[in-house]
Amino acid sequence: MRTDSSPGVLPSRDHLPAAWRDVPVLDVVIPVYNEEKDLGPCVLRLHDHLARTFPYPFRITVADNASTDGTPRVAAGLAASVREVRHVRLDQKGRGRALRAVWSASDAPVLAYMDVDLSTDLNALLPLVAPLISGHSDLAIGSRLARSSRVVRGPKREFVSRAYNLILRGSLHARFSDAQCGFKAIRGDVARVLLPLVEDTGWFFDTEMLVLAERAGLRIHEVPVDWVDDPHSTVHLVRTATDDLKGVWRVGRALTVGALPLDRLARPFGDDPRDRQLAGVPGGLARQLVGFCVVGALSTLFYLLLYSGFRAFTGSQAANALALLVSAVANTAANRRLTFGVRGRDRAVRHQAQGLVVFGIGLALTSGSLAALGAASGHPAHSTELAVLIAANLAATVLRFLLLRAWVFPDRGETASEATAPAPTPAYDITHAYDVQSPAYDAQSPAYDVRNPAPHDHPRTAQ
C-alpha cells in the first residue's frame, strides 16, 4: 500500500493506464490572437501528426484571445470539421490568461501548449508528454538552449533569450534552461494546484509557473528541440522584456518573504518499498538532523562574528546577548524553512516567539558560562571566551533541537496535515471565460474550408 507522508495535496505520480479511453489523454492548447492566416494550416498539420504518431486519444483546443480579425471564424470552422478540435473564445488578451482558462477546465490528464507558428519540430511532442504520461515528471518543457538542440533564429532574439535565462539563474536561482520556449506540458493534477498560485496572465506566465514548480520540488523534464524562428512574429520584445523583469521582481520578493504556500505542491514518493514507513522510526528525523546541523554550523559562525563585532563596543555579556538575539531570529527562520519544511506566513510570529524562548535558554547557558569563567579567571583572554562559548553553544544546540522538534515545529502527523490542507479549488467554469456569441466574428459569414486554406498562408506552413 502506498504511503503518502507529504503534507501536500498532490498524489503520487502514476502511469496512465494503456487502455485509457474515457477522455482525451492529451489536450494541446494553441493560444492565438489575430492569426487567421496561420491557424488553419497549423491545426491541420498538428492534427495529422497526432493522428499518425500519438497512441492515445487527444484533443486540440484553439484558445482565441479576443481576436478582432477572422480568427474566430477560422477556429469555428475547424471545430465543426475536425472531431478532435474545439474552439474557446476569451474576451481578454493574454497568453497566460488563455492557458489558465483552458487548462483549469480541461478533463485531460496531460495538458500542453504550443505556438501557432509551429516553430518547434513536432517530432518533439511525444518525448515532451511521455514523461508525464508515465508518471516520471510533473512538467515538461522544450529547450532551445540544450546542447543537442538545433535552432535557427536571428542574433537579437538569441541574445535576448540567453540574457533572460541568465537573469533567471542569477536572481531566482532557476535551474531549467529555457523559460520562454512556446512548447510546454503539465500534468492535470499538478495544474489544478499550481495554476491558482500563478498571478501573471501574459508572457511571464510560463516563467512564473516553472519557478514556483521548481521551488516546490516538482520534477521538470527538458526536451531538446529543433526550432526555426518565425520572422513574422508579432511579439514586442521591449515591452515583453519589461513585463518579464517586473515579474521576476514580484516573484523573487514573494519567495523571499515566504508569501507563497508552496507546501501545497509537495509530492510523496512513489511505491518503492524503501519509502514505506517503519514502525518506531520518527519520520524525517535523519533529514531534520542534517538540516539542523548545517543551519547550526552557519548560525554559530554568524553568532561568533556578531559577538566579535559587538565586543569591540560593549562588554562581553551585552555582546553575547545581542549576538545571540540576532542569530537566534535568523536560526529560527532558517530551521523553519530548511529543517522542518514550514513555508508561508502561517504561525510565523508564533514560531519566532517560541524560538525566542529557546533563545532565552541558550542565553542562560552561555551567559552562565561567561559568568563562571569571569569568576574563575578575572580577565580571561578573548580566545578563552570564544572557546567557552563554543562549548556552551554545543550543549545548548542539543537542547535547542529537541525543543524545536517537539515544541516549536512538532510533527502533527496525518491528522494535522489533513486539517491544514487547503480547501479544494472550485471547478473553473469555462463558459464564463469565453463568449461564443462574441461580435468579433459573424456567424453568418462564409464557412471556412479547412481542407482548402486561403492561398496567402504563411510560408512556413509549406515546409
Side-chain angles (χ1 to χ4, degrees):
M1 181 177 67
R2 180 167 295 175
T3 300
D4 286 354
S5 57
S6 164
V9 298
L10 289 176
S12 297
R13 304 185 198 93
D14 286 321
H15 194 303
L16 298 180
W20 187 292
R21 291 293 183 269
D22 296 337
V23 296
V25 168
L26 174 64
D27 192 349
V28 182
V29 182
I30 304 177
V32 292
Y33 174 73
N34 290 348
E35 297 284 359
E36 61 177 338
K37 296 180 182 179
D38 292 342
L39 180 57
C42 163
V43 171
L44 293 178
R45 180 180 165 196
L46 174 61
H47 179 270
D48 177 68
H49 177 84
L50 288 171
R52 288 186 296 103
T53 65
F54 193 68
Y56 291 94
F58 64 88
R59 178 194 299 137
I60 301 172
T61 301
V62 179
D64 177 17
N65 285 323
S67 294
T68 57
D69 64 354
T71 298
R73 175 177 58 84
V74 176
L78 289 165
S81 304
V82 184
R83 183 170 59 89
E84 290 85 1
V85 176
R86 69 168 180 167
H87 170 217
V88 174
R89 168 78 175 176
L90 290 93
D91 56 7
Q92 289 180 287
K93 292 175 61 177
R95 182 176 70 176
R97 180 178 286 109
L99 293 178
R100 185 197 309 277
V102 178
W103 281 357
S104 299
S106 180
D107 54 356
V110 177
L111 311 167
Y113 96 88
M114 62 180 61
D115 294 334
V116 69
D117 56 17
L118 294 185
S119 294
T120 305
D121 181 16
L122 291 179
N123 286 329
L125 182 55
L126 185 54
L128 182 80
V129 300
L132 309 187
I133 294 174
S134 70
H136 174 271
S137 300
D138 299 296
L139 298 92
I141 64 174
S143 176
R144 298 162 296 184
L145 302 180
R147 289 184 180 274
S148 56
S149 298
R150 296 183 297 179
V151 178
V152 177
R153 60 178 169 178
K156 182 172 69 173
R157 287 184 174 272
E158 181 76 12
F159 172 78
V160 171
S161 179
R162 291 187 178 275
Y164 180 64
N165 282 283
L166 285 175
I167 291 174
L168 292 181
R169 289 177 178 271
S171 59
L172 299 179
H173 306 289
R175 294 189 297 272
F176 47 85
S177 65
D178 192 350
Q180 295 179 310
C181 180
F183 195 69
K184 295 182 174 67
I186 184 173
R187 284 180 64 101
D189 55 352
V190 176
R192 283 187 287 273
V193 183
L194 177 59
L195 294 185
L197 304 181
V198 181
E199 294 184 17
D200 192 80
T201 59
W203 293 99
F204 187 70
F205 175 88
D206 304 49
T207 301
E208 184 171 358
M209 178 181 69
L210 291 174
V211 169
L212 298 187
E214 187 176 73
R215 287 299 186 95
L218 299 182
R219 183 174 295 156
I220 301 174
H221 178 73
E222 296 198 15
V223 177
V225 298
D226 295 344
W227 175 282
V228 179
D229 207 4
D230 180 9
H232 302 284
S233 174
T234 58
V235 178
H236 193 286
L237 288 180
V238 175
R239 182 170 64 246
T240 301
T242 302
D243 292 341
D244 285 349
L245 291 176
K246 292 179 180 178
V248 169
W249 168 258
R250 173 177 55 80
V251 172
R253 182 175 57 183
L255 291 173
T256 300
V257 301
L260 296 168
L262 298 181
D263 52 328
R264 295 183 188 178
L265 299 168
R267 276 278 197 197
F269 286 112
D271 54 4
D272 191 308
R274 293 170 296 180
D275 182 50
R276 299 176 183 177
Q277 292 180 343
L278 301 177
V281 179
L285 177 60
R287 182 189 61 80
Q288 290 177 356
L289 279 173
V290 172
F292 181 80
C293 289
V294 173
V295 172
L298 295 176
S299 298
T300 300
L301 178 60
F302 183 48
Y303 160 78
L304 293 175
L305 292 174
L306 290 174
Y307 177 81
S308 299
F310 291 141
R311 187 66 175 84
F313 303 100
T314 184
S316 61
Q317 292 288 4
N320 175 64
L322 288 173
L324 199 56
L325 176 61
V326 175
S327 61
V329 172
N331 180 275
T332 300
N335 275 311
R336 182 176 187 269
R337 175 69 179 269
L338 302 177
T339 304
F340 299 98
V342 180
R343 295 179 173 88
R345 298 179 179 178
D346 185 35
R347 299 188 179 185
V349 175
R350 176 180 177 180
H351 291 157
Q352 282 291 352
Q354 292 173 309
L356 288 177
V357 174
V358 178
F359 149 76
I361 297 174
L363 178 62
L365 285 174
T366 54
S367 296
S369 300
L370 282 176
L373 177 63
S377 305
H379 298 284
H382 181 63
S383 59
T384 305
E385 286 183 346
L386 291 179
V388 170
L389 287 175
I390 291 174
N393 267 288
L394 288 175
T397 296
V398 177
L399 182 59
R400 185 183 301 120
F401 176 76
L402 296 176
L403 288 174
L404 288 176
R405 179 175 169 82
W407 180 48
V408 183
F409 308 107
D411 183 7
R412 294 179 171 85
E414 183 179 357
T415 302
S417 298
E418 294 174 352
T420 58
T425 304
Y428 189 93
D429 186 1
I430 200 168
T431 58
H432 298 296
Y434 63 95
D435 181 12
V436 296
Q437 303 299 330
S438 172
Y441 69 96
D442 183 4
Q444 303 300 323
S445 59
Y448 179 80
D449 185 358
V450 298
R451 299 301 172 185
N452 295 284
H456 54 271
D457 289 330
H458 195 282
R460 281 185 50 76
T461 61
Q463 296 178 4

